[in-house]
């Protein structure tokens, strides 16, 4: 089942219909669905698809040759081209007569086994780009390799590509489309525990309860999830132990670089370099208070929900899990799930506001959105605002998000208004987001103020997913 990626497919098809030589670079984290996207795109087209393997140049050349000859004859062949240059040149020449798509998947594996491959591709592009109708796709999962050896200014292929695409995990709206039997609330929890990575979502079954899904995946030592974060790190980095320690420290609440360094007992310069690599992999994100760029206030958090859930709950329960005590481990996790979902709900609310902006239904036409934290000089303590979005120097939006079973009362609105006065905007609009709705007092006050929008989780689902939940 293929879901989403409409804009990505539209981009690829736009290049395909140009009729001229095109060179698209596709990259993104492992498991994000790059191969599925390419296979979907080449359906019904004249296409040669080749996936590199982590082997030597001989094996990769034989596989590539076989893919080319299979395209021409429909059968596997025992012969092989003498070199990658000969094989690629053959494809470029074939494409002088007809539109052909050549997709090389897991390009880093091939390029590492053949050091001259990038220069060879550069040579052939320069030679044939004006006469060939080839649509050439290079795809890779090694983020650092693709950025350093394909996209960077110093790479041989720099300046040759006609398009590039970083494939990102699904957002909440796309994640919801993967499941038809979960309730709306269960969909939020699934997004919170598995994130939007398609391969992870395939491990979730919507004919089972949320509890059973957590037990079968995260709390099962034989599941694909159980060792996934550590295995992925081993594939991407040379020293997974320290990376693992840094992620664990952040999951445990260390958010500033000094706190992280203290937790892992390493100097800040070392930790900073490792954190930067984790950011490039899309695992860690760096935030500063909205509207500020001071690195002194920067905090770090786990960007990927699956990593965040895994590092928050699996290591501390690993002894129980290893002994097959999934029920006992879940009982320890369950009381913390609602609190865990607080940050996830903030993310969902932010996506909702972007949706309103795109459809021209947001009263504040912001260009960026984020969190804010800092000192309240009146109360002389640190405070924060879940969502801040600015239209211009005079107009802004402030939001508060509550993932609780209780209805949001007037006090939450009053606190948000008070905190917004730490800023000096002339025109302000407030958004309150609530999992379980609002009290009568809060609703009446919002109606009186006329610059407040109350949004329940059901409203978010109706806007983002345009459907109600599955089972009762």
């Amino acid at each position: 089942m293929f879901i989403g990626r409409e804009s990505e497919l539209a981009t690829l098809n736009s290049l395909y219909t140009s009729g001229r030589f095109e060179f698209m670079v596709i990259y993104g984290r492992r498991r994000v669905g790059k191969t599925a996207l390419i296979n979907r795109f080449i359906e019904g087209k004249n296409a040669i698809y080749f996936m590199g393997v982590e082997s030597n140049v001989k094996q990769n050349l034989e596989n590539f040759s076989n893919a080319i000859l299979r395209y021409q004859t429909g059968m596997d062949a025992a012969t092989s081209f003498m070199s990658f240059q000969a094989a690629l040149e053959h494809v470029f020449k074939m494409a002088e007569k007809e539109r052909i798509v050549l997709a090389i998947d897991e390009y880093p594996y091939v390029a590492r086994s053949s050091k001259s491959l990038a220069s060879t591709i550069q040579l052939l592009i320069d030679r044939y780009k004006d006469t060939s109708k080839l649509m050439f796709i290079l795809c890779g999962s090694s983020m650092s390799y693709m950025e350093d050896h394909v996209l960077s200014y110093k790479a041989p292929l720099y300046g040759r590509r006609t398009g590039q695409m970083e494939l990102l995990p699904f957002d909440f709206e796309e994640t919801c489309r993967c499941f038809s039997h979960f309730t709306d609330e269960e969909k939020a929890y699934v997004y919170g525990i598995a994130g939007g990575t398609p391969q992870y979502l395939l491990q979730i079954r919507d004919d089972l309860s949320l509890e059973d899904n957590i037990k079968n995946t995260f709390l099962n030592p034989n599941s694909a999830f159980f060792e996934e974060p550590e295995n992925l790190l081993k594939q991407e980095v040379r020293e997974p132990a320290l990376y693992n320690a840094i992620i664990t420290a952040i999951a445990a609440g260390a958010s500033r670089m000094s706190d992280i360094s203290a937790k892992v007992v390493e100097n800040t310069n070392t930790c900073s370099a490792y954190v930067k690599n984790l950011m490039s992999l899309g695992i860690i994100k760096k935030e500063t208070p909205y509207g500020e760029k001071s690195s002194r206030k920067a905090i770090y958090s786990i960007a990927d929900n699956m990593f965040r859930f895994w590092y928050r709950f699996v290591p501390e329960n690993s002894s129980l899990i290893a002994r097959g005590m999934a029920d006992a481990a879940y009982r320890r996790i369950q009381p913390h799930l609602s609190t865990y979902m607080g940050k996830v709900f903030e993310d969902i609310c932010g996506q909702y506001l972007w949706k309103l902006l795109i459809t021209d239904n947001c009263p504040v036409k912001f260009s960026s959105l984020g969190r804010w934290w800092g000192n309240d000089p009146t109360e002389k303590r640190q405070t924060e605002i879940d969502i801040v979005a600015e239209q211009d120097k005079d107009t802004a939006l402030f939001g508060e998000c509550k993932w609780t079973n209780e209805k949001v009362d007037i006090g939450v609105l009053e606190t948000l208004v008070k905190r917004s006065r730490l800023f000096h905007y002339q025109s302000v609009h407030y958004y309150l987001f609530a999992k379980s709705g609002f009290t009568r007092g809060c609703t009446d006050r919002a109606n009186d103020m006329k610059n407040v929008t109350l949004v329940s989780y059901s409203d978010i689902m109706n806007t983002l997913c345009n459907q109600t939940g599955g089972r009762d």
Side-chain angles (χ1 to χ4, degrees):
M1 179 175 64
F2 187 89
I3 292 173
R5 304 303 191 198
E6 287 87 358
S7 63
E8 290 87 350
L9 285 170
T11 297
L12 292 172
N13 280 308
S14 176
L15 293 179
Y16 180 79
T17 56
S18 74
R20 60 178 181 265
F21 173 77
E22 302 285 0
F23 176 27
M24 167 61 80
V25 177
I26 300 175
Y27 64 110
R29 276 182 43 200
R30 298 179 192 278
R31 323 282 196 259
V32 82
K34 300 181 297 298
T35 300
L37 173 67
I38 292 172
N39 285 329
R40 183 73 166 194
F41 166 66
I42 65 177
E43 281 181 3
K45 297 180 176 68
N46 293 330
I48 300 168
Y49 174 83
F50 160 60
M51 176 177 282
V53 294
E54 200 167 9
S55 183
N56 59 20
V57 62
K58 179 177 181 294
Q59 182 67 60
N60 276 303
L61 180 57
E62 287 179 357
N63 293 347
F64 185 37
S65 300
N66 208 24
I68 296 169
L69 297 172
R70 193 184 308 119
Y71 168 78
Q72 287 186 285
T73 66
M75 298 182 295
D76 291 341
T79 58
S80 176
F81 288 94
M82 294 297 294
S83 66
F84 272 108
Q85 179 166 340
L88 286 163
E89 191 156 19
H90 183 76
V91 177
F92 271 92
K93 287 181 177 179
M94 282 197 300
E96 289 181 326
K97 300 176 182 178
E98 60 179 343
R99 186 59 153 172
I100 297 176
V101 179
L102 169 61
I104 299 182
D105 203 350
E106 294 299 354
Y107 169 74
Y109 288 154
V110 192
R112 287 188 182 115
S113 71
S114 176
K115 302 299 183 183
S116 63
L117 181 58
S119 297
T120 298
I121 294 173
Q122 174 194 2
L123 170 72
L124 295 175
I125 289 175
D126 292 345
R127 181 180 296 172
Y128 290 102
K129 62 183 173 63
D130 295 326
T131 60
S132 183
K133 301 175 184 177
L134 182 68
M135 180 171 177
F136 189 20
I137 299 173
L138 284 188
C139 179
S141 298
S142 175
M143 299 285 284
S144 58
Y145 190 95
M146 295 299 288
E147 290 173 351
D148 294 342
H149 298 278
V150 179
L151 300 173
S152 79
Y153 178 78
K154 296 180 180 179
L157 295 174
Y158 182 81
R160 271 72 183 178
R161 66 185 181 276
T162 57
Q164 69 182 64
M165 179 186 300
E166 181 183 2
L167 202 62
L168 299 172
F170 286 159
D171 60 17
F172 179 58
E173 179 179 356
E174 291 172 309
T175 298
C176 287
R177 291 165 59 185
C178 298
F179 305 104
S180 58
H181 297 104
F182 280 139
T183 65
D184 286 348
E185 185 174 330
E186 286 172 328
K187 289 174 183 176
Y189 274 101
V190 166
Y191 183 65
I193 67 174
T197 301
Q199 192 64 38
Y200 301 155
L201 295 172
L202 287 173
Q203 309 299 318
I204 305 296
R205 292 175 49 184
D206 64 358
D207 61 333
L208 298 177
S209 67
L210 180 72
E211 177 180 343
D212 285 339
N213 271 292
I214 292 174
K215 290 177 181 177
N216 289 348
T217 52
F218 291 93
L219 309 184
N220 177 3
N222 300 314
S223 75
F225 263 147
F226 184 64
E227 294 183 342
E228 170 66 9
E230 293 179 335
N231 286 338
L232 191 144
L233 283 177
K234 290 175 184 176
Q235 291 176 320
E236 294 288 350
V237 300
R238 294 178 181 176
E239 300 178 52
L242 184 51
Y243 285 101
N244 192 57
I246 288 171
I247 302 172
T248 301
I250 295 173
S255 59
R256 300 185 185 277
M257 188 61 70
S258 57
D259 299 330
I260 298 168
S261 300
K263 276 276 189 181
V264 301
V265 196
E266 286 284 353
N267 66 64
T268 54
N269 289 334
T270 299
C271 282
S272 180
Y274 279 69
V275 166
K276 184 178 180 181
N277 289 339
L278 289 169
M279 288 169 59
S280 71
L281 292 173
I283 297 172
I284 297 299
K285 64 179 178 180
K286 176 182 178 180
E287 293 179 277
T288 54
Y290 184 85
E292 301 182 30
K293 295 182 179 179
S294 171
S295 59
R296 292 186 301 104
K297 293 186 177 181
I299 62 172
Y300 299 88
S301 59
I302 300 177
D304 181 273
N305 284 344
M306 192 281 286
F307 271 74
R308 182 169 170 255
F309 186 87
W310 193 96
Y311 278 94
R312 171 64 181 83
F313 295 114
V314 172
E316 68 180 32
N317 291 291
S318 58
S319 296
L320 293 175
I321 297 168
R323 288 166 173 77
M325 300 172 66
D327 290 342
Y330 183 79
R331 284 195 298 271
R332 294 186 63 189
I333 293 170
Q334 196 277 331
H336 304 285
L337 285 177
S338 184
T339 301
Y340 169 86
M341 283 296 295
K343 294 298 183 186
V344 178
F345 188 48
E346 288 179 22
D347 177 31
I348 292 172
C349 295
Q351 293 181 36
Y352 169 83
L353 288 173
W354 279 110
K355 182 79 169 186
L356 292 188
L357 183 71
I358 292 168
T359 56
D360 200 28
N361 288 308
C362 188
V364 176
K365 310 305 179 186
F366 59 90
S367 58
S368 62
L369 179 152
R371 292 195 298 140
W372 180 87
W373 59 93
N375 184 53
D376 183 339
T378 304
E379 298 193 0
K380 297 180 180 178
R381 63 184 179 90
Q382 289 288 303
T383 190
E384 64 179 60
I385 302 174
D386 292 341
I387 294 175
V388 183
E390 182 184 78
Q391 177 174 310
D392 50 45
K393 292 181 179 179
D394 296 321
T395 307
L397 176 157
F398 295 91
E400 186 73 17
C401 313
K402 296 295 182 183
W403 184 264
T404 64
N405 292 327
E406 295 78 31
K407 291 185 176 183
V408 169
D409 202 358
I410 190 172
V412 175
L413 176 56
E414 291 174 343
T415 299
L416 179 61
V417 171
K418 183 178 180 181
R419 290 174 180 172
S420 73
R421 290 175 182 152
L422 295 171
F423 299 81
H424 303 287
Y425 296 104
Q426 298 297 315
S427 177
V428 173
H429 196 95
Y430 301 102
Y431 269 85
L432 289 190
F433 299 93
K435 172 189 174 185
S436 306
F438 306 88
T439 64
R440 180 66 178 269
C442 187
T443 302
D444 289 344
R445 176 61 65 86
N447 290 335
D448 291 341
M449 291 177 62
K450 302 188 185 308
N451 64 337
V452 180
T453 302
L454 305 181
V455 183
S456 66
Y457 178 59
S458 60
D459 296 328
I460 292 175
M461 290 300 293
N462 288 334
T463 297
L464 290 181
C465 304
N466 197 29
Q467 61 184 17
T468 56
R471 56 174 176 263
D472 296 332

